[in-house]
Amino acid sequence: MKKALSVILSLVMLVGCLSVMGVGIVNAADYVAYPTVYINGGRGSLYKTDGTKIAPVEPPEGFLADAVKDCIGDLAKAVVTGKEEDMQAYKEKLVSWIAPLYDDIRLDNNGERTEPVIVGYGKTGYFTIPDTLPNRISGGEYPLQAYIYYYDWRLDPYETAAELDGYINKIMAATGRDKVNLVGRCEGGCPLMAYLEAYGHGHVNKIMFFNTASNGYLLPTQLCSGKVEFRSADIRAWLNNNVHFSIEELEIGEDILNILLGMLNLSAATPQIDLLGSTLDGVYTRVLREVIPDVFMASYGTFPAVWAMIASKDFDDALAYMFEGKEAQYAGLIEKVTYYHENVQLRTEEILKECEADGIQIGAIAKYGYPAIPLTPEAEELSDGEALTKYLSFGATCSTYAGTLSDSYIAAHDEKYISVDKKIDASTCLFPETTWFIGGVDHQSTPWEMNDICQRFFTARSPMTVRTDATYPQFLVGQGESLTVVPLTEENKDLSVVGLEQEAEAPGVVDSFDQFMSGLLTVVLRLVERVRAIIDGIIAHANGTA
């Protein structure tokens, strides 16, 4: 029966009609261009109704140095004594610095706005949804970003999805189409998923997840779940390869910097001891673990959207850690974030497979090649610097950042899904034939080719997969300063993971000790000189007044 059906379907394909296995091959004459709703990521600008910018939060100049100087004594006392009153004093001091920065954007205890805001568009504009929209078709196609959707990135994804539904209806009215394509970029994957759960997929043509954080984002997952762990090697790898932060930006002076880097390198070179990592773990266990919930709730903790990006496996731990003893105070917020977790996060595969079963093609783009943020047992895993690649790709099997998949693993799995750098097995993805991987590109960077993949995916006359377009096979890599994306090959595979050469050339025990002692001795000598100058001044003053 299957053979007969295959013959019939082959004949149908030859004359240019509908589908095989529920995914259509479309006759060019029957092709319909659908508009795309590009659901942007978070971190956009927010304004008060009077035009005052309130987000992103921008600490005043010198804030970090002043805060550290004011809090360090209380922290040291709390670490040494371990007394509850000393920890409380440090907690209150730290929160007194953090909370005022977020007064204008913090939501109430139910996770709701206390006043309306205006959502920013680009660098200076405002995003509003007018009563009617223009039909932005151009040359028979809709540009990928013709209908970008910006939103208040703090709110419950369900609240955002309700506004998104209205936006989609207006786009369909403007274009005369009964469906749209959806792109969920980074945090944008959360309201996209909430939309599918709440409003269904009847008006959806195709879906692309663009490096989405909807399956888990590292920083809120780590801090909220209390699963913090320090390893010097992970800290060094992250500092060496973070393109958006340099330790030199702290402006702490060359000598102090040498002491810190010497200690870091020495600890990384002696992982069995790891003095710095052990010290930081001790400080966290004795003090910071008790402080983090208060600091988080004074800043981002009231944002339901942040909770939507906590990895599903860590959600229950995060809920218990953040709200212990405060369940009544934050009852409304807890209800919101739990509802999203139970109805979207835990049902993600079910929701998307229902879409696929109804003929909706779903794709994903995931980046990799950077060490994860170094505060977690997952720090060695492959990531784009902010989210783990296994989450970005809906389930790829990945090596560690510095390692590769084992030869025995590769031998036991389909080689067509194994990346040439032996970092990724795409066969375990939820959508293995429509998931693309780009190495050597961090989370915040967006090479032009990423958008091009999306546009080709949406406008292809026959279903685009990782096998159908030689320009964009399953595994790609960014190369050069502009991060031009090209196919990953044996010749360029060393570009897919950033910083391994630096790690291989990292200082050993002797060089690290020399760096540490050089900085320490320089500081000591300067102190001695300072003391001697003070003494000479006292003596000179005494002689002059004798």
Side-chain angles (χ1 to χ4, degrees):
M1 181 177 178
K2 286 185 179 178
K3 186 175 292 186
L5 182 58
S6 297
V7 172
I8 293 171
L9 290 174
S10 296
L11 291 172
V12 172
M13 288 163 57
L14 287 173
V15 295
C17 279
L18 291 174
S19 67
V20 177
M21 305 269 311
V23 178
I25 294 181
V26 180
N27 187 316
D30 296 330
Y31 172 76
V32 177
Y34 288 102
T36 295
V37 183
Y38 190 100
I39 309 169
N40 210 30
R43 303 180 182 177
S45 299
L46 298 176
Y47 301 85
K48 290 185 176 182
T49 53
D50 64 3
T52 303
K53 187 176 181 179
I54 59 174
V57 171
E58 298 175 358
E61 186 176 350
F63 173 84
L64 181 61
D66 292 341
V68 170
K69 189 183 300 182
D70 190 39
C71 295
I72 192 68
D74 294 276
L75 172 60
K77 186 177 181 181
V79 170
V80 171
T81 69
K83 292 182 179 179
E84 179 62 33
E85 57 265 31
D86 292 333
M87 285 192 281
Q88 185 64 30
Y90 170 64
K91 182 191 301 184
E92 291 175 358
K93 177 69 70 68
L94 187 59
V95 170
S96 73
W97 277 92
I98 298 295
L101 292 176
Y102 294 88
D103 281 346
D104 287 331
I105 68 167
R106 193 166 45 248
L107 302 179
D108 67 17
N109 291 352
N110 296 314
E112 298 176 358
R113 285 185 292 219
T114 56
E115 58 180 325
V117 299
I118 303 171
V119 177
Y121 178 89
K123 292 184 178 180
T124 58
Y126 297 152
F127 176 76
T128 57
I129 300 176
D131 291 336
T132 58
L133 292 165
N135 186 355
R136 296 190 176 123
I137 196 166
S138 176
E141 297 288 358
Y142 288 94
L144 182 68
Q145 297 185 349
Y147 298 101
I148 303 179
Y149 177 60
Y150 293 88
Y151 51 95
D152 187 338
W153 44 265
R154 304 170 298 169
L155 302 181
D156 181 357
Y158 274 102
E159 188 171 345
T160 303
E163 184 180 73
L164 174 62
D165 178 57
Y167 190 44
I168 289 171
N169 287 331
K170 289 183 178 181
I171 291 171
M172 291 191 297
T175 61
R177 304 292 192 258
D178 61 350
K179 293 181 180 181
V180 298
N181 301 311
L182 295 177
V183 173
R185 176 175 176 173
C186 189
E187 184 189 325
C190 298
L192 190 161
M193 288 300 306
Y195 171 82
L196 294 176
E197 196 282 322
Y199 300 95
H201 53 263
H203 293 303
V204 178
N205 180 50
K206 295 181 182 180
I207 301 169
M208 177 63 80
F209 290 96
F210 193 115
N211 220 49
T212 182
S214 59
N215 297 315
Y217 193 61
L218 277 168
L219 197 56
T221 296
Q222 293 162 348
L223 294 179
C224 289
S225 63
K227 297 173 183 176
V228 174
E229 181 178 301
F230 296 92
R231 287 193 295 263
S232 294
D234 298 332
I235 296 172
R236 182 177 65 187
W238 186 79
L239 286 174
N240 283 341
N241 300 296
N242 191 296
V243 297
H244 301 288
F245 171 78
S246 170
I247 192 171
E248 284 78 8
E249 293 177 21
L250 296 180
E251 298 180 354
I252 55 179
E254 183 178 352
D255 300 325
I256 300 298
L257 185 62
N258 279 333
I259 292 174
L260 292 176
L261 291 178
M263 174 66 78
L264 176 62
N265 287 325
L266 184 61
S267 297
T270 54
Q272 299 85 353
I273 302 172
D274 194 357
L275 181 59
L276 180 61
S278 299
T279 300
L280 292 173
D281 275 336
V283 172
Y284 172 75
T285 301
R286 288 178 67 85
V287 178
L288 295 182
R289 182 175 170 81
E290 299 297 320
V291 171
I292 285 175
D294 289 72
V295 172
F296 187 68
M297 295 311 297
S299 53
Y300 295 97
T302 57
F303 301 174
V306 170
W307 283 89
M309 293 185 287
I310 293 175
S312 185
K313 69 181 182 62
D314 297 305
F315 179 83
D316 290 338
D317 291 332
L319 215 61
Y321 175 46
M322 284 291 146
F323 296 117
E324 182 179 6
K326 303 173 184 176
E327 293 85 355
Q329 181 182 354
Y330 292 103
L333 176 61
I334 292 171
E335 182 180 4
K336 276 187 174 66
V337 301
T338 301
Y339 187 87
Y340 179 86
H341 172 67
E342 292 177 348
N343 290 279
V344 174
Q345 283 188 308
L346 295 181
R347 295 185 55 236
T348 292
E349 181 174 350
E350 175 190 346
I351 293 168
L352 295 180
K353 283 298 183 180
E354 287 177 357
C355 293
E356 185 183 45
D358 285 339
I360 297 172
Q361 192 182 20
I362 302 171
I365 300 174
K367 293 185 280 190
Y368 74 99
Y370 282 80
I373 296 172
L375 301 174
T376 170
E378 297 176 318
E380 293 181 333
E381 294 196 34
L382 198 62
S383 83
D384 66 356
E386 297 185 25
L388 297 180
T389 304
K390 66 181 181 182
Y391 293 149
L392 297 171
S393 60
F394 292 83
T397 299
C398 304
S399 71
T400 60
Y401 158 72
T404 58
L405 298 172
S406 69
D407 291 340
S408 59
Y409 179 93
I410 293 173
H413 292 80
D414 192 337
E415 65 179 0
K416 75 178 181 181
Y417 291 109
I418 305 292
S419 60
V420 70
D421 57 7
K422 300 181 180 180
K423 292 286 184 181
I424 296 170
D425 173 15
S427 69
T428 55
C429 295
L430 191 58
F431 305 103
E433 289 297 315
T434 50
T435 299
W436 286 263
F437 296 85
I438 305 177
V441 180
D442 70 283
H443 187 83
Q444 296 185 41
S445 299
T446 308
W448 169 84
E449 291 83 0
M450 293 184 70
N451 286 328
D452 192 40
I453 292 172
C454 290
Q455 185 69 344
R456 292 191 187 202
F457 183 78
F458 291 140
T459 60
R461 269 43 175 185
S462 59
M464 178 180 173
T465 74
V466 297
R467 320 283 168 206
T468 60
D469 190 332
T471 305
Y472 298 121
Q474 185 144 54
F475 299 105
L476 303 150
V477 66
Q479 62 180 17
E481 291 186 8
S482 62
L483 293 176
T484 302
V485 174
V486 298
L488 181 68
T489 65
E490 284 287 347
E491 289 70 31
N492 63 23
K493 67 180 182 181
D494 290 342
L495 299 175
S496 68
V497 177
V498 176
L500 289 184
E501 185 175 323
Q502 285 179 280
E503 286 299 297
E505 297 175 355
V509 175
V510 175
D511 290 339
S512 300
F513 184 73
D514 285 346
Q515 183 183 27
F516 171 72
M517 290 304 298
S518 174
L520 182 61
L521 288 174
T522 301
V523 171
V524 170
L525 288 173
R526 287 187 177 180
L527 287 174
V528 169
E529 286 294 319
R530 181 79 179 272
V531 171
R532 190 178 73 175
I534 292 173
I535 293 174
D536 288 345
I538 293 173
I539 293 173
H541 179 73
N543 289 336
T545 57

